Amino acid sequence: MATLFVENLTVVDFSYLHAKRGMVGESWIVDLELSGDLDAQGMVFDFGHIKKALKHAVDERVDHRLLLPGESDLLGLHRRDDGHISLEWRYLAGEIRMVAPADSILELSGTAITKAGVTLYLMDLIRNSVPDNVTEVRVVLREQDTGTAPFYHYSHGLKKHDGNCQRIAHGHRSGIEIFENGRRSRYWEKLWADRWEDIYIGTRSDLEGTYYVEDVPHHRFRYDAEQGHFELVIPEDHCYLVDTDSTVENLAEHIAEELAREAPGKRFRVRAFEGVGKGAIAEAGEDNPGRAKAGWLQGSSVL
């Protein structure tokens, strides 16, 4: 028996529901091992087929979805005749309600979404996609190793996107790099990581209104996209509103502009990640940070 491995088969970007944290955006790297007898080509499984078949299967079933623990007492789920699902999730900070096409949601067994549960699901999924000579499947899910650098979890939806990003509740675990006057600043990185910890980033134009659910203010977002109708009700204090669509390009620019506003006279460069290994760069602030506004450097007399 032989074993082959594929590191970084794919990255799944998704959100899930948590009993204390609410809606959590996540990004997990998928590593894969396949063991079995060699086929007529002297292979366990052709790497080209792994990329085409297995990566596609994982991305199609998990990526850009909202994962639900189907056996949790906190979950109420109703499958509608129009192909949509409506759900309720009662947690410590309030209530999450959502209406979305069924394809944007993945219900898993168990009372909580865990790496172990998702791993078992993916192993079963992959077993059904490999040839008979493959006898063992091993899946490892891991976060990107960012060391001590700050990161945040965010969820969002992009109604104008022509792919699965239009789903109203998918997310990412994202790092951020902020440079103040050319030097990296862990202070500002930590501030934004705390500010966007377990946050839902919503576009103001998608905000239908704010309502009270048991005396707790909740935002209600609603839009129609190519895949169907989307609605989301989520506690106001778990939301962050922006004036643009929440693409990573717009988010990087938003952070840079906010930094320039909060710390006038300085120049900022922001590298905002969207999950693992991708993101956007934006700059804002004064072109000549630290330069005196007046005085001898500017030619005015000090005598």
Side-chain angles (χ1 to χ4, degrees):
M1 186 171 69
T3 300
L4 62 80
F5 66 90
V6 180
E7 295 180 347
N8 305 308
L9 172 68
T10 190
V11 177
V12 287
D13 295 302
F14 63 95
S15 292
Y16 67 95
L17 297 181
H18 188 278
K20 294 181 179 180
R21 299 164 65 186
M23 182 180 293
V24 182
E26 189 58 274
S27 299
W28 286 342
I29 301 167
V30 182
D31 296 332
L32 175 66
E33 289 184 8
L34 301 177
S35 299
D37 297 327
L38 300 181
D39 62 15
Q41 304 176 86
M43 302 177 179
V44 176
F45 195 30
D46 190 318
F47 283 115
H49 293 271
I50 289 176
K51 284 291 186 179
K52 291 178 181 178
L54 303 189
K55 181 182 183 302
H56 175 76
V58 173
D59 290 342
E60 182 68 20
R61 298 299 293 273
V62 179
D63 194 47
H64 285 73
R65 294 194 184 218
L66 176 67
L67 274 54
L68 313 175
E71 298 170 24
S72 173
D73 294 336
L74 305 177
L75 178 66
L77 196 65
H78 175 64
R79 300 183 184 278
R80 306 189 338 184
D81 294 336
D82 61 359
H84 287 61
I85 287 179
S86 61
L87 67 88
E88 295 181 358
W89 180 259
R90 295 180 179 272
Y91 70 112
L92 290 180
E95 188 170 324
I96 293 174
R97 301 175 185 173
M98 195 172 88
V99 176
D103 287 345
S104 65
I105 294 169
L106 175 61
E107 182 182 0
L108 298 177
S109 60
T111 58
I113 298 299
T114 64
K115 276 186 184 175
V118 178
T119 297
L120 290 174
Y121 174 80
L122 290 179
M123 288 173 64
D124 289 339
L125 177 67
I126 290 171
R127 283 194 188 100
N128 294 326
S129 303
V130 296
D132 293 337
N133 65 298
V134 177
T135 56
E136 294 183 15
V137 175
R138 182 171 182 259
V139 173
V140 175
L141 300 176
R142 58 185 173 90
E143 297 95 352
Q144 181 184 26
D145 182 6
T146 58
T148 60
F151 62 88
Y152 48 85
H153 300 261
Y154 76 95
S155 302
H156 68 148
L158 300 172
K159 66 182 178 185
K160 299 174 185 176
H161 192 263
D162 59 2
N164 293 335
C165 290
Q166 66 189 260
R167 295 169 177 174
I168 200 168
H170 74 277
H172 313 272
R173 177 186 187 270
S174 299
I176 185 169
E177 298 175 3
I178 298 176
F179 298 85
E180 176 189 322
N181 295 347
R183 299 183 65 180
R184 189 165 176 182
S185 171
R186 287 295 176 90
Y187 168 79
W188 291 114
E189 292 173 359
K190 182 66 165 55
L191 184 147
W192 277 94
D194 291 343
R195 186 174 290 179
W196 280 2
E197 180 183 7
D198 296 344
I199 203 72
Y200 184 84
I201 301 178
T203 300
R204 290 186 191 276
S205 61
D206 299 331
L207 179 63
E208 190 254 0
T210 302
Y211 307 88
Y212 283 85
V213 179
E214 297 182 356
D215 298 325
V216 177
H218 287 60
H219 282 331
R220 181 177 184 178
F221 300 93
R222 176 189 294 180
Y223 59 75
D224 291 298
E226 181 182 351
Q227 293 184 3
H229 180 69
F230 294 90
E231 294 184 22
L232 177 67
V233 175
I234 190 168
E236 180 184 37
D237 62 359
H238 283 201
C239 295
Y240 186 98
L241 296 179
V242 294
D243 294 324
T244 62
D245 293 327
S246 55
T247 64
V248 69
E249 295 91 341
N250 285 331
L251 295 182
E253 185 174 357
H254 173 82
I255 294 172
E257 291 177 348
E258 285 295 302
L259 286 166
R261 183 184 62 81
E262 294 174 14
K266 297 179 179 180
R267 183 73 179 176
F268 291 95
R269 185 174 189 263
V270 175
R271 281 170 48 89
F273 286 78
E274 184 186 73
V276 177
K278 63 185 189 300
I281 299 171
E283 296 188 14
E286 296 201 9
D287 292 332
N288 296 301
R291 185 90 177 258
K293 296 293 184 181
W296 69 271
L297 289 175
Q298 295 294 101
S300 59
S301 175
V302 293
L303 298 177

